[in-house]
């Protein structure tokens, strides 16, 4: 948002410098990004009067002019312009003057005749014919008396002053909670409050006209959720002409190109009130009836820029009885402008739902000043005053005859927020000791009213709803640098949550095993699914698609984090790292079934979607994907094989307090090797997979080493975690140990044998360790030998050999039922 200082002075008597104004406004919350003076590039250029013109003796197209510039004697200047006559007032660049672009003018000789300066054209001053419509574009700028109703400038007047270029323009960064400051008028209010001067507001006055607007215009709002208010007025006998210089100067300072009086009025009001407006030819409104509705299937519109644009049903349009004539809040249709043949216009001042306008503008690829303002969320109560201001300017500029009355459709008026004024609460929040009157003196100049002990907030300030909001208003005008320093009261204890402590404990454990933590983006390409051999029908391929991705490689949210960690392994391998061991605490995003249903039905109308969800007892948050926390480990190198990775995982489970878990062979053969991977189960629930990565997957990533990995569900581990470690005293009684060498089928799982031993050895079994596995001719073909060490101990006595032998007998009997025998 930009603010010309000369325009701001219309609302407040400002005598400060540009730097002081920028500094003070920034400190009161209206942040000034930068400011500049358009006249900074123009030096020593004045207004001169042509006293005489004679032909150049040595040129058939040059003339010699004597120019009065307020000095003791006229200056002689040679020019080739053909649009000059005696008495014209023109800008003169004197000897040593500077023009925009760094051009410097010096006294010189042209064809043997001395020239003491230069007469300037529009372009040489950085201006265009839109700024001075009476000027000749390719000739010298000749001042027109129509631009100076109070009298022409005297010779010697600085050109920047006479041409309206001596204005400082401030550029503001407007925060999302302050859409009211998208108006010059409200920034003027902020400036007045900042410098403690009265705010000089102006209430538009429209003189009585003729006729009745209801005879010429009818308006229906068919979707009051997307169009909160629509105001319309009619002006007959329009007289299209250039705008007066004061209006053109202000538009130019704001970066808006002047067009003609009607268009300039709408732009001027948009800047002054922050309310977008539009005027269009009444004769192109079929049936004199405006319908504010959603577009119908198959409809399209040719917008003012001449592009034929298809419309979708969630888009709001301004239509007549024949069809759309404008895209609401974005741009009018091809025939919704004003032309030389225009005699009657309709002025539109409406309020549309910001998110809908933002979505429509984005889908059409049509970002305009109006759509940008609507997207911020404006105040519907500004529509009527802005329209009144436009009609007032029509009468002031004699741009047409205003028809009496205004069509104003306002189904649900916005009401003012009412917040109790509690000085003690505000002082407690700010650490101040301000009196109630001091707070009132700050709030009243900002447009707030006081009714007893209640602050009535203007609807423009819909962001003020609570005590803390009032405290913010008070704080920014007291001055943050003036706030007293206070010590913290009470004791603030910031402690990690149980989940944070749990994750940190696992991280430290893995770091102790020599793994390095990495962190990857949560999005990647769908190609990753093929790289890890994910089946075509696997549900994990159903990913959340990013609507505006940075590129194809970041187009979906990850449903499995293994590809992310494999990318890290591949980069290390390509860098010739002899060993790599990494892990990541990763988030996976699994789409909700409700989101898939919405996508299938293409719900682009957000309010309609919210209604549908509410009817089902749901909210928009139910559309969000389910986030699953995973712990992914991957490693290669001399020290890393399947058993090493499994040992790291077992240590991790021990850190989590999980003592009893089982491992079952994973034979899926997707990302992991079908014969060298195991699924881990705790209390019957799968908590992850550990094993060697499939050779095909390694080849897809260009890794020629054998990679081992683990994919663990952190959420499950946290849910199944054990309690806090308890101290156990050293045993008082000795242990008894037995070794069993068992012969089983080669396909038998060691975990099954261990489970059978634990189930039958009794409560005195302290530990069970597999210490040897042997296959060969001594045990027979298709067989293998597994040697276990069993340690027995009782807490209250020394076990006898008979008790241990009885336990061993039970174990051997149970193993025998499984076809497992004692090795001879």
């Amino acid at each position: 948002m930009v603010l010309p200082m000369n325009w701001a002075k219309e609302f407040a008597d400002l005598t400060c410098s540009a730097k002081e104004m920028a500094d003070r406004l920034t400190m009161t919350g209206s942040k000034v990004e930068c400011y500049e003076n358009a006249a900074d590039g123009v030096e020593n250029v004045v207004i001169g009067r042509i006293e005489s013109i004679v032909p150049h003796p040595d040129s058939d197209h040059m003339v010699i002019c004597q120019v009065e510039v307020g000095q003791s004697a006229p200056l002689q200047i040679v020019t080739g312009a053909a649009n000059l006559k005696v008495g014209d007032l023109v800008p003169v660049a004197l000897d040593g003057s500077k023009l925009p672009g760094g051009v410097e003018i010096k006294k010189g000789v042209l064809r043997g005749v001395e020239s003491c300066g230069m007469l300037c054209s529009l372009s040489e001053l950085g201006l265009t014919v839109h700024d001075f419509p009476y000027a000749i574009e390719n000739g010298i700028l000749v001042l027109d008396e129509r631009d100076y109703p109070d009298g022409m400038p005297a010779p010697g007047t600085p050109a920047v002053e006479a041409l309206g270029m001596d204005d400082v323009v401030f550029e503001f960064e407007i925060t999302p909670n302050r859409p009211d400051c998208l108006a010059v008028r409200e920034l003027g209010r902020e400036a007045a409050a900042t410098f403690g001067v009265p705010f000089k507001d102006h209430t538009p006055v429209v003189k009585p006209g003729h006729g009745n607007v209801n005879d010429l215009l009818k308006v229906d709002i068919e979707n009051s959720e997307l169009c909160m208010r629509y105001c319309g007025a009619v002006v007959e006998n329009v007289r299209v002409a250039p705008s007066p210089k004061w209006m053109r100067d202000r538009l130019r300072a704001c970066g808006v190109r002047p067009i003609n009086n009607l268009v300039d009025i709408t732009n001027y009001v948009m800047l002054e009130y922050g309310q977008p407006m539009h005027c269009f030819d009444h004769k192109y409104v079929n049936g004199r009836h405006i319908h504010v509705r959603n577009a119908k299937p198959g409809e399209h519109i040719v917008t003012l820029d001449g592009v034929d644009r298809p419309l979708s049903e969630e888009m709001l349009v301004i239509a007549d009885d024949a069809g759309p004539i404008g895209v609401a809040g974005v741009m009018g249709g091809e025939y919704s402008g004003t032309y030389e043949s225009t005699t009657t216009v309709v002025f539109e001042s409406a309020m549309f739902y910001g998110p809908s306008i933002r979505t429509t503008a984005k889908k059409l690829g049509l970002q305009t000043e109006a759509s940008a303002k609507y997207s911020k969320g404006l105040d519907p109560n500004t529509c009527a005053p802005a329209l009144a201001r436009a009609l007032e300017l029509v009468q002031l500029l004699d741009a047409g005859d205003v028809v009496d009355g205004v069509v104003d459709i306002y189904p649900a008026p916005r009401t003012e927020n009412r917040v109790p004024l509690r000085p003690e609460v505000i002082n407690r929040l700010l650490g101040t000791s301000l009196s109630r009157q001091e707070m009132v003196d700050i709030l009243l100049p900002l447009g707030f009213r006081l009714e007893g002990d209640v602050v009535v907030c203007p609807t423009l300030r819909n962001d003020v709803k609570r005590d803390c909001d009032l405290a913010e208003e008070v704080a920014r005008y007291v001055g943050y640098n003036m706030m007293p320093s206070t010590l913290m009261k009470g004791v603030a204890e910031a402690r990690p949550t149980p989940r944070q402590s749990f994750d940190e404990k696992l991280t430290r454990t893995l770091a102790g095993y020599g793994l390095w933590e990495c962190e990857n983006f949560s999005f990647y390409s769908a190609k990753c699914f093929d790289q890890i051999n994910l089946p075509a029908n696997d549900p994990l391929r159903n990913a959340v698609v990013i609507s505006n991705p940075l590129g194809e490689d970041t187009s979906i949210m990850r449903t499995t984090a293994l590809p992310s960690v494999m990318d890290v392994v591949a980069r290390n391998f390509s860098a010739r790292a002899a060993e790599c061991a990494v892990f990541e605490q990763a988030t996976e995003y699994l789409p909700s079934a409700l989101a898939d249903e919405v996508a299938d039905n293409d719900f682009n109308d957000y309010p309609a979607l919210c209604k549908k969800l509410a009817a089902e007892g749901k909210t928009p948050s139910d559309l969000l994907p389910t986030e699953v926390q995973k712990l992914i480990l991957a490693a290669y190198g001399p020290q890393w094989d399947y058993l090493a990775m499994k040992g790291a995982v077992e240590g991790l489970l021990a850190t989590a307090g999980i003592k009893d878990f089982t491992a079952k062979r994973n034979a899926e053969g997707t990302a992991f090797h079908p014969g060298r991977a195991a699924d881990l189960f705790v209390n019957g629930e799968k908590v992850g997979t550990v094993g060697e990565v499939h050779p095909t997957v390694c080849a897809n990533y260009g890794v020629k080493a054998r990679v081992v990995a683990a994919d663990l569900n952190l959420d499950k581990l946290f849910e199944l975690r054990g309690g806090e470690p308890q101290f156990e005293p050293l045993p008082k009684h000795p242990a008894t140990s037995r070794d069993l060498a068992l012969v089983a089928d080669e396909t038998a799982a060691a975990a099954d044998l261990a489970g059978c031993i634990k189930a039958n050895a009794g409560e005195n079994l302290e530990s069970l360790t597999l210490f040897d596995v042997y296959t060969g001719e001594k045990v027979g073909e298709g067989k293998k030998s597994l040697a276990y060490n069993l340690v027995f101990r009782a807490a209250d006595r020394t076990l006898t050999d008979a008790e241990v032998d009885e336990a061993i007998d039970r174990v051997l009997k149970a193993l025998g039922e499984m076809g497992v025998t004692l090795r001879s």
Side-chain angles (χ1 to χ4, degrees), residues 117-138:
M118 183 182 76
L119 307 184
C120 300
S121 65
L122 285 168
S123 60
E124 288 163 340
L125 293 170
L127 303 171
T128 69
V129 71
H130 296 285
D131 302 314
F132 287 87
Y134 307 118
I136 297 176
E137 189 168 9
N138 297 319

Side-chain angles (χ1 to χ4, degrees), residues 504-812:
E504 178 62 25
K505 187 162 58 174
L506 298 190
T507 297
R508 289 198 302 268
T509 299
L510 291 175
Y513 285 137
L515 286 89
W516 294 82
E517 186 173 13
C518 62
E519 188 171 353
N520 295 287
F521 290 123
S522 296
F523 35 78
Y524 50 41
S525 168
K527 296 177 182 178
C528 292
F529 298 141
D530 295 328
Q531 287 183 290
I532 62 170
N533 292 347
L534 204 65
N537 60 348
D538 196 295
L540 293 179
R541 285 184 176 268
N542 179 28
V544 176
V545 179
I546 299 174
S547 59
N548 56 340
L550 298 175
E552 182 184 356
D553 291 340
T554 56
S555 58
I556 61 173
M557 302 299 292
R558 63 184 178 188
T559 56
T560 169
L562 184 60
S564 301
V565 178
M566 282 301 298
D567 278 333
V568 177
V569 171
R571 282 196 298 273
N572 279 271
F573 184 83
S574 65
R576 299 185 179 183
E579 181 177 308
C580 173
V582 295
F583 71 95
E584 180 181 3
Q585 288 193 25
T587 304
E588 297 175 351
Y589 302 84
L590 307 179
S592 67
L594 182 59
D596 291 339
E597 177 188 341
V598 170
D600 292 339
N601 290 278
D602 192 23
F603 273 97
N604 292 313
D605 187 344
Y606 187 75
L609 173 60
C610 292
K611 276 189 174 180
K612 177 183 183 297
L613 294 175
E616 298 174 359
K618 300 181 177 67
T619 65
S621 62
D622 294 314
L623 297 173
L624 299 176
T626 301
E627 297 185 16
V628 180
Q629 297 296 317
K630 288 291 194 72
L631 190 60
I632 310 296
L633 291 67
Y636 72 82
Q639 300 181 15
W640 289 98
D641 57 11
Y642 169 74
L643 293 177
M645 180 58 72
K646 181 172 177 288
V649 171
E650 289 175 345
L652 198 69
L653 295 177
T655 301
I658 299 174
K659 297 181 179 179
D660 296 322
F661 66 92
T662 57
K664 294 184 180 179
R665 179 178 176 181
N666 179 303
E668 295 177 358
T670 54
F672 289 93
H673 194 295
R676 300 171 186 165
D679 292 331
L680 304 177
F681 294 84
V682 178
N683 296 340
E685 288 193 67
K686 182 179 176 180
V687 296
T689 303
V690 59
E692 187 174 315
V693 176
H694 200 290
T696 304
V697 175
C698 290
N700 291 339
Y701 282 92
V703 180
K704 297 179 181 179
R706 295 174 71 169
V707 180
V708 289
D711 185 340
L712 305 175
N713 190 319
L714 262 180
D715 295 330
K716 288 289 184 184
L717 293 181
F718 180 72
E719 179 184 338
L720 299 170
R721 72 191 186 282
E724 291 296 323
Q726 301 295 321
F727 170 75
E728 293 183 2
L730 292 174
K732 297 179 179 179
H733 302 281
T736 301
S737 173
R738 292 286 192 276
D739 290 342
L740 294 180
L742 306 173
V743 178
D745 291 337
E746 194 169 9
T747 57
D752 293 340
L753 273 64
C756 179
I757 293 172
K758 292 178 180 178
N760 292 278
E763 62 181 9
N764 291 326
L765 179 66
E766 184 177 78
S767 67
L768 174 66
T769 305
L770 174 67
F771 65 88
D772 183 57
V773 178
Y774 169 75
T775 57
E777 59 182 16
K778 293 184 179 180
V779 294
E781 186 177 355
K783 298 290 185 177
K784 64 180 176 181
S785 172
L786 298 96
Y788 288 92
N789 174 254
L790 290 74
V791 177
F792 294 89
R793 191 195 307 267
D796 56 348
R797 69 188 188 281
T798 300
L799 292 175
T800 65
D801 288 342
E803 289 177 299
V804 176
D805 291 340
E806 182 182 351
I808 294 296
D809 289 339
R810 290 196 305 269
V811 169
L812 293 176

Side-chain angles (χ1 to χ4, degrees), residues 254-503:
C254 291
V256 178
R257 186 181 70 178
I259 305 294
N260 58 52
N261 49 6
L262 291 177
V263 176
D264 292 352
I265 285 172
T266 60
N267 287 331
Y268 187 89
V269 173
M270 178 178 69
L271 293 169
E272 187 176 37
Y273 279 76
Q275 169 63 42
M277 295 192 65
H278 184 53
C279 70
F280 46 90
D281 198 322
H282 181 265
K283 68 172 174 286
Y284 290 113
V285 181
N286 288 280
R288 299 181 176 183
H289 192 175
I290 288 178
H291 306 265
V292 185
R293 59 171 174 81
N294 288 82
K296 297 177 181 178
E299 281 189 325
H300 63 93
I301 186 173
V302 178
T303 46
L304 277 171
D305 56 1
V307 179
D308 191 345
R309 303 179 186 275
L311 302 172
S312 51
E313 295 178 58
E314 79 280 0
M315 296 180 181
L316 193 71
V317 297
I318 308 298
D320 57 17
D321 290 344
I325 60 174
V327 182
V330 181
M331 184 178 281
E334 183 179 20
Y335 297 107
S336 67
T338 56
Y339 309 91
E340 292 183 0
S341 61
T342 299
T343 59
T344 303
V345 296
V346 176
F347 277 89
E348 169 192 282
S349 177
M351 187 54 56
F352 306 110
Y353 183 56
S356 172
I357 299 302
R358 182 167 55 249
T359 301
T360 298
K362 184 175 181 181
K363 286 191 174 183
L364 294 178
L366 194 60
Q367 298 292 336
T368 62
E369 183 73 17
S371 67
K373 287 185 181 292
Y374 278 124
S375 298
K376 302 296 190 300
L378 304 178
D379 178 19
N381 289 334
T382 307
C383 292
L387 182 59
R389 176 59 168 157
L391 297 179
E392 180 186 50
L393 289 172
V394 167
Q395 293 179 336
L396 179 65
L397 273 56
D398 192 28
D401 300 328
V402 176
V403 176
D404 281 341
V406 171
V407 176
D408 188 357
I409 310 298
Y410 197 1
R414 176 184 287 186
T415 57
E416 298 168 320
N417 293 331
R418 305 173 71 86
V419 184
L421 178 60
R422 300 188 290 178
E424 69 281 0
V425 175
I426 294 176
N427 280 324
R428 186 172 69 248
L429 288 171
L430 301 180
T432 55
S433 56
L434 299 171
S435 67
R436 179 181 184 276
Q437 189 57 47
E438 286 176 310
M439 296 179 186
V440 171
D441 291 342
I442 290 173
L443 294 173
L444 294 183
L446 295 175
F448 297 91
R449 301 196 323 272
L450 197 65
E451 294 182 359
D453 289 329
V454 175
V455 176
V456 182
C457 310
T459 53
L460 271 170
R461 295 302 310 277
N462 199 44
D463 59 307
V464 180
K465 300 176 181 178
R466 300 173 296 173
D467 290 309
C468 58
D469 298 323
L470 288 179
E472 182 180 4
E473 297 300 304
V474 171
R476 66 192 183 98
Y477 279 95
V478 169
Y480 293 109
N481 57 335
M482 301 298 293
M483 305 290 284
S485 298
T486 56
L487 295 175
M488 293 181 63
K489 297 178 181 179
V491 179
E493 296 185 8
R495 296 180 179 178
T497 64
R499 177 59 186 267
Q500 289 172 329
S501 299
F502 179 77
D503 291 348

Side-chain angles (χ1 to χ4, degrees), residues 5-88:
M5 193 167 192
N6 288 341
W7 200 347
K9 289 179 179 178
E10 180 179 311
F11 299 98
D13 291 326
L14 302 174
T15 58
C16 58
S17 65
K19 184 179 185 309
E20 184 182 1
M21 182 167 175
D23 292 342
R24 293 279 298 275
L25 283 175
T26 297
M27 293 306 297
T28 55
S30 303
K31 183 182 177 185
V32 177
E33 287 287 308
C34 60
Y35 64 90
E36 65 176 352
N37 193 327
D40 286 345
V42 181
E43 295 181 11
N44 206 21
V45 180
V46 300
I47 298 300
R49 179 189 297 114
I50 305 295
E51 297 292 335
S52 67
I53 303 175
V54 297
H56 193 291
D58 195 22
S59 173
D60 58 357
H61 69 278
M62 287 184 171
V63 294
I64 303 172
C65 301
Q66 299 298 320
V67 185
E68 170 61 38
V69 293
Q71 299 180 2
S72 57
L75 293 182
Q76 178 173 282
I77 297 177
V78 178
T79 180
N83 66 313
L84 299 175
K85 66 181 184 298
V86 174
D88 284 345

